[in-house]
C-alpha cells in the first residue's frame, strides 16, 4: 500500500486536481493507495482570515466567506459534469453556511479561541477531500472517503495537537484492515480529541497526517506531492541557485524542515523514520522528475552541506545577570517557565561565563515568554541578581544542515566569514553537538543575502554573483562596460562568477535594476533612468542589501569620494579610479583603509597610480612578503612623458599638450598634470602604501611651469603657454645639448618625497621610456642594486578600465 499526500498547490483548482487524478490512476495499476489531501491552496489562510476579521468586528469577513464559497463552487463546476454536480454543490453550500454561522458567532462574541480556529480551518480539508473523492469516482476510480477525525486521536492542544499514537495506530489498522477498497481519500491536517472535538495538527500538517497513516499501516512508501521537484538546497524563492537534493537522510530532512524548509512539515519525518519507510518528495506538475528520496542512509558523496534553510519571525530572549554565575538550576527554571507555557524553543546558546542564556523562539510567543520568565525569577529580579528578560525582535535563523559536516572542520568558520564579508551581523550561534546543523540568528533584512552568500560558499557547482554599482560613464566607464561585456561569458565559465551590473549613475541620470543591466543597452537604459542623485544612489545600494556588492567610482568627483565611508561601513567594497580619497588628508585615507579592514571589505585604487599597471599591487606584494622599500623612483605622468617625448623645440609646446589632451591622456584639467600636482598625488599614494604618513605639502615640487600659465580657465592656460614657448624651448635645448632626455621624475627616498623635471642620460633606467608610458623602480631589501621595475602604458581609457576591472576581481576574491 502506498500513501500519497497532495498539498494545497497540487489541489488548488480543477486543472491541478486533474493532474492528481492522473498520478493516482497510474499508481492504482500496480498498487493500492491512500490519498491524503490538503485544502485547496490558500483556503486555510482565507478561513482563518475570515475568523480573525470577524473577531475584530470587521464585517468584511463576509466578503472572504463569499470568496471561499466561490472558489469551491467553481472547482466543482469545472471538475464534474453538470448532471452529477448537485450533491457536491449542496455539500459546499451546506459547509459554507456552517462556516458563516460560526463566523457570525465569533463576530457577536468578539472572541476567537484556538478551539474555534481549528473548527473553522477543518472545513478546508473536509470540503477539498470530498470534491476530490467525487472526481475519482467520476473517473471510474472507485474511492472510499474517510473522515480523518475518526482515525487520528490527539490531545486538546488546539492548533498544534499532539497525537496519541497507540490509539491512533489501532484505529487506523482496524479501519483499513476491515475495508476492501483499493483507493481511500482522507482529509489531511484534521483530527479530534477524546471528546470528539475537532483539532488540527499545525499549519502544513497534512504531510504529518500522511506520515501517521503510513507508519500505522507500515506502508511501503510515503509520497509527498507538491509544487517543486524535491527538497532543494535552499528555498527556491530566496535563491535562484537552489537545486534539487536527490538523496537525503531522515535526520537531515528533519533538520532542514525544522529550520524552515517548508516543503515538508517537521513532525512528518519522525513516525516514518522509526520504521524506515522511504519518503519521496515529488512534483505534481512534473511527475516525471525524479524528486528527492528521504531514507535512513546518508550518502557519503555529494556536498558536505546538504542544505540551507531559514526561519523568520524569531525573537531572541535573554536572561542575564551576575547572580547566575555558578548557581545551578537557573537554566532549568528558565526552560520550565517556557515549557509550562508550551513555548517551543528553537535555539539555545549559553555564554561560557554562564552570565547569560539566550533562547530563540517564535515571535508570537514573545510577550507570553516575558511574563512567564519574569514571574519565575521575580525574587532574583527584585534582588538585582537577574535582569528582567530582554527581548530582541525582527530576527531570523539561518541554518546549514549536513551530516557530513562533523567530519569536516572549518565549516562554521567559512559560514561566519562569508556572512561577515557581506556585513551580516550574527547575533547568536548554535551548533548541535551532533554537528548536523549550525545555525545563526541574524536580522531578518539580511536573510536573503545570507542564504545566497552561503549557497555560493558551500555549493561549488553554483555561481558566485557579484553586484556592481558603477558611477561615471565617461571614457573609462565606457571602456569598462565594453570589457565587462566581452568577459562575461569567460568569467562565468572559468571563474564561476556572474557579474551583474546592477546600478549605473552619471552626472545626469541613474538606474538600478537588480536583474542586471544588459551591457549592450546601458546607454539607452541609463538615459531613460531617474534624475541622478548620488545620495539616493547610495541609499538604494544600502537598502537593497545585495550580496557581494561592489561600488566602482570612475569619476574625479569630491562628492562621490565622500560616500565611500558610508559604503565601507556596510561591508560594500569600493574600487576607486577617482584619486580624491586616497590623496586627501592622510587621516582620511587611513580611516577609509581601516574601516575597510574592520568591515571585512576592500578599498582598492590601483588605477590611481600608473593606470592599469600593477604598481600598488606589486608594492603590496613586496611588503606583505616581508620586503622593505628603501626608495621609489618613477615617471608617473603619462601626459608629461608623452609631452616631453614629443616636444622637440620645433612644434609648439602648447600644441603637444593639446594633442595629449585630445588623445585622452590628461586629467580633465591638464594643469593638474603639467603642474606636477597629479604626480605628487601619485607618489604620495605610493609612499602611503609603503607605510609613510605623508601629506601633499610635505612633497617638494620642482615645477617647470611659469606661474603665468596656471591662472584662469583652461583656454587661458593654452594661450599663456603659447606665449611662453621660449621658456619651454630653453628647457628642452639645455637637456638636448647634454645628450639627455627630459623626464618628470617622482622620488620617494627614506621617508622624503619630491617631484620635478630631470635630465636623464642614456645609461639611466628611466631613459628608454616612450609614448605615454610610466615606469616605477622599487629599490628594496631584496632588490638593492637592480630595482624591481613595473613599466608600460600609464594613461589611456582602455588600460585604465582594465585596471579597474582587475580591482573588481580583487574585491571579489576577498
Ligand atoms: P504544499 O502545499 O504542497 O504542502 P508547501 O507550500 O507547504 O506545499 O511547500 C512547498 C514550498 O516550499 C515550495 O513551493 C517552496 O517554495 C518552499 N520551500 C522552502 N524551502 C524549500 C526547500 N529547501 N526545498 C524545496 N522547497 C522549499
Ligand atoms: N491546509 C493546511 C495548511 O494550509 C494544512 C496543509 O496544507 O498541510 O496549513
Ligand atoms: Mg506543505
Amino acid at each position: 500500500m502506498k500513501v500519497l499526500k497532495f498539498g494545497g498547490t497540487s489541489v488548488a483548482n480543477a486543472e491541478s486536481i486533474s493532474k492528481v487524478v492522473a498520478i493516482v490512476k497510474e499508481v492504482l495499476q500496480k498498487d493500492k493507495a491512500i490519498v491524503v489531501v490538503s485544502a485547496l491552496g490558500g483556503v486555510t489562510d482565507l478561513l482563518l482570515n475570515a475568523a480573525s476579521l470577524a473577531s475584530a468586528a470587521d464585517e468584511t469577513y463576509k466578503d472572504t466567506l463569499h470568496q471561499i464559497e466561490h472558489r469551491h463552487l467553481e472547482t466543482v463546476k469545472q471538475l464534474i459534469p453538470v448532471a452529477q454536480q448537485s450533491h457536491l454543490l449542496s455539500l459546499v453550500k451546506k459547509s459554507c453556511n456552517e462556516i458563516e454561522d460560526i463566523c457570525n458567532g465569533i463576530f457577536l462574541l468578539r472572541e476567537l479561541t484556538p478551539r474555534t480556529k481549528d473548527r473553522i480551518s477543518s472545513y478546508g480539508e473536509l470540503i477539498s477531500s470530498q470534491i476530490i473523492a467525487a472526481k475519482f469516482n467520476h473517473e471510474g476510480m472507485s474511492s472510499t472517503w474517510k473522515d480523518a477525525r475518526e482515525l487520528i486521536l490527539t490531545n486538546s492542544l488546539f492548533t498544534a495537537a499532539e497525537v496519541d499514537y497507540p490509539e491512533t495506530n489501532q484505529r487506523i489498522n482496524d479501519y483499513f484492515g476491515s475495508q476492501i477498497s483499493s483507493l481511500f481519500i482522507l482529509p489531511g491536517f484534521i483530527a479530534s480529541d477524546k471528546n470528539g472535538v475537532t483539532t488540527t495538527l499545525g499549519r502544513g500538517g497534512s504531510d504529518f497526517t500522511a506520515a501517521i497513516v503510513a507508519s500505522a499501516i507500515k506502508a511501503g512508501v510515503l509520497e509527498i506531492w507538491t509544487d517543486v521537484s524535491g527538497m532543494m538546497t535552499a528555498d527556491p524563492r530566496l535563491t535562484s541557485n537552489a537545486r534539487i537534493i536527490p538523496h537525503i537522510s531522515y535526520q537531515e530532512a528533519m533538520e532542514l524542515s525544522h529550520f524552515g524548509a517548508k516543503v515538508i512539515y517537521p513532525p512528518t519525518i519522525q513516525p516514518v523514520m522509526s520504521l524506515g519507510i522511504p519518503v519521496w518528495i515529488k512534483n505534481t506538475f512534473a511527475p516525471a522528475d525524479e524528486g528527492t528520496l528521504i531514507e535512513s542512509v546518508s550518502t557519503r558523496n555529494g556536498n558536505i552541506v546538504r542544505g540551507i534553510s531559514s526561519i523568520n519571525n524569531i525573537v531572541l530572549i535573554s536572561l542575564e545577570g551576575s547572580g547566575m554565575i555558578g548557581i545551578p538550576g537557573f537554566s532549568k527554571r528558565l526552560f520550565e517557565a517556557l515549557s509550562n507555557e508550551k513555548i517551543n524553543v528553537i535555539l539555545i546558546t549559553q555564554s561560557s561565563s554562564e552570565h547569560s542564556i539566550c533562547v530563540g523562539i517564535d515571535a508570537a510567543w514573545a510577550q507570553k515568554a516575558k511574563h512567564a520568565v519574569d514571574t519565575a525569577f521575580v525574587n532574583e529580579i527584585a534582588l538585582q541578581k537577574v535582569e528582567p528578560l530582554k527581548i530582541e525582535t525582527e530576527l531570523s535563523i539561518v541554518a546549514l544542515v549536513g551530516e557530513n559536516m562533523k567530519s569536516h572542520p572549518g565549516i562554521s568558520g567559512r559560514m561566519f566569514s562569508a556572512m561577515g564579508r557581506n556585513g551580516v551581523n550574527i547575533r547568536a550561534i548554535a551548533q548541535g553537538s551532533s554537528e548536523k546543523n549550525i545555525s545563526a540568528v541574524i536580522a531578518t533584512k539580511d536573510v536573503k543575502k545570507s542564504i545566497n552568500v552561503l549557497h555560493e560558499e558551500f555549493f561549488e557547482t553554483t555561481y558566485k554573483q557579484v553586484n556592481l554599482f558603477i558611477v561615471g560613464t565617461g571614457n573609462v566607464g565606457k571602456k569598462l562596460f565594453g570589457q565587462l561585456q566581452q568577459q562575461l561569458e569567460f568569467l562565468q565559465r572559468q571563474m564561476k562568477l556572474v557579474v551583474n551590473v546592477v546600478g549605473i549613475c552619471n552626472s545626469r541620470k541613474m538606474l538600478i535594476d537588480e536583474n542586471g543591466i544588459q551591457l549592450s543597452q546601458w546607454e539607452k537604459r541609463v538615459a531613460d533612468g531617474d534624475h541622478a542623485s548620488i545620495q539616493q544612489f547610495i541609499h538604494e545600494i544600502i537598502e537593497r542589501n545585495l550580496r557581494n556588492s561592489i561600488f566602482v567610482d570612475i569619476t574625479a568627483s569630491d562628492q562621490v569620494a565622500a560616500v565611500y565611508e558610508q559604503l565601507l561601513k556596510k561591508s560594500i567594497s569600493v574600487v576607486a579610479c577617482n584619486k580624491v580619497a586616497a590623496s586627501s588628508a592622510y587621516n582620511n585615507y587611513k580611516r577609509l583603509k581601516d574601516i575597510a579592514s574592520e568591515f571585512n571589505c576592500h578599498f582598492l585604487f590601483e588605477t590611481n597610480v600608473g593606470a592599469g599597471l600593477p604598481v600598488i599591487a606589486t608594492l603590496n606584494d613586496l611588503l606583505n612578503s616581508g620586503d622593505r622599500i628603501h626608495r621609489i623612483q618613477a615617471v608617473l605622468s603619462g601626459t608629461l612623458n608623452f609631452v616631453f617625448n614629443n616636444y622637440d623645440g620645433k612644434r609648439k609646446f602648447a600644441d603637444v599638450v593639446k594633442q595629449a589632451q585630445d588623445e585622452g591622456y590628461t586629467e580633465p584639467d591638464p594643469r593638474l598634470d603639467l603642474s606636477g600636482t597629479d604626480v605628487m598625488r601619485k607618489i604620495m599614494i605610493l609612499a602611503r602604501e609603503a607605510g609613510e604618513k605623508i601629506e601633499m605639502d610635505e612633497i617638494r615640487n620642482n615645477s617647470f611651469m611659469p606661474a603665468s600659465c596656471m591662472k584662469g580657465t583652461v583656454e587661458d592656460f593654452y594661450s599663456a603657454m603659447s606665449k611662453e614657448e621660449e621658456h619651454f624651448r630653453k628647457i628642452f635645448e639645455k637637456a638636448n645639448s647634454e645628450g639627455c632626455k627630459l623626464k618628470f621624475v617622482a622620488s620617494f627616498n627614506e621617508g622624503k618625497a619630491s617631484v620635478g623635471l630631470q635630465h636623464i642620460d642614456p645609461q639611466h633606467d628611466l631613459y628608454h621610456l616612450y609614448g605615454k608610458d610610466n615606469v616605477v623602480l622599487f629599490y628594496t631589501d631584496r632588490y638593492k642594486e637592480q630595482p624591481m621595475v613595473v613599466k608600460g602604458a600609464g594613461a589611456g581609457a582602455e588600460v585604465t578600465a582594465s585596471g579597474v576591472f582587475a580591482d573588481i576581481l580583487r574585491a571579489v576574491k576577498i
Side-chain angles (χ1 to χ4, degrees), residues 590-602:
K590 184 73 171 58
R591 195 177 59 250
L592 293 174
K593 300 246 322 173
D594 290 348
I595 292 172
S597 87
E598 181 185 345
F599 288 87
N600 246 312
C601 57
H602 287 284

Side-chain angles (χ1 to χ4, degrees), residues 316 392-398 415-429 439-447 449-450 453-454 545 569-571 598-600:
L316 213 49
E392 270 181 82
T393 58
E394 291 178 39
L395 298 175
S396 296
I397 296 177
V398 291
M415 174 181 186
F416 301 134
S417 70
M419 288 162 84
R421 283 198 301 269
N422 274 279
V424 177
N425 188 24
I426 296 172
R427 284 289 307 109
I429 297 167
S439 28
V441 179
I442 61 171
T444 300
K445 68 172 175 42
D446 288 332
V447 167
K449 181 159 85 173
S450 301
V453 163
L454 294 173
N545 202 14
K569 282 186 169 162
K570 295 285 175 194
S571 301
E598 181 185 345
F599 288 87
N600 246 312

Side-chain angles (χ1 to χ4, degrees), residues 5-10 38 204 207 224-228 230-237 245 256 260-264 308-309:
K5 176 260 172 177
F6 291 89
T9 45
S10 303
S38 289
D207 298 338
I224 306 282
W225 290 80
T226 181
D227 62 346
V228 282
M231 197 151 199
M232 302 176 88
T233 49
D235 185 341
R237 286 164 304 186
I245 308 170
L256 271 179
K262 192 194 169 205
V263 65
I264 193 156
I308 304 166
S309 53

Side-chain angles (χ1 to χ4, degrees), residues 5 38-39 44 125 189 203-207:
K5 176 260 172 177
S38 289
T44 313
E125 269 72 5
F189 180 52
R203 294 302 309 271
S206 294
D207 298 338

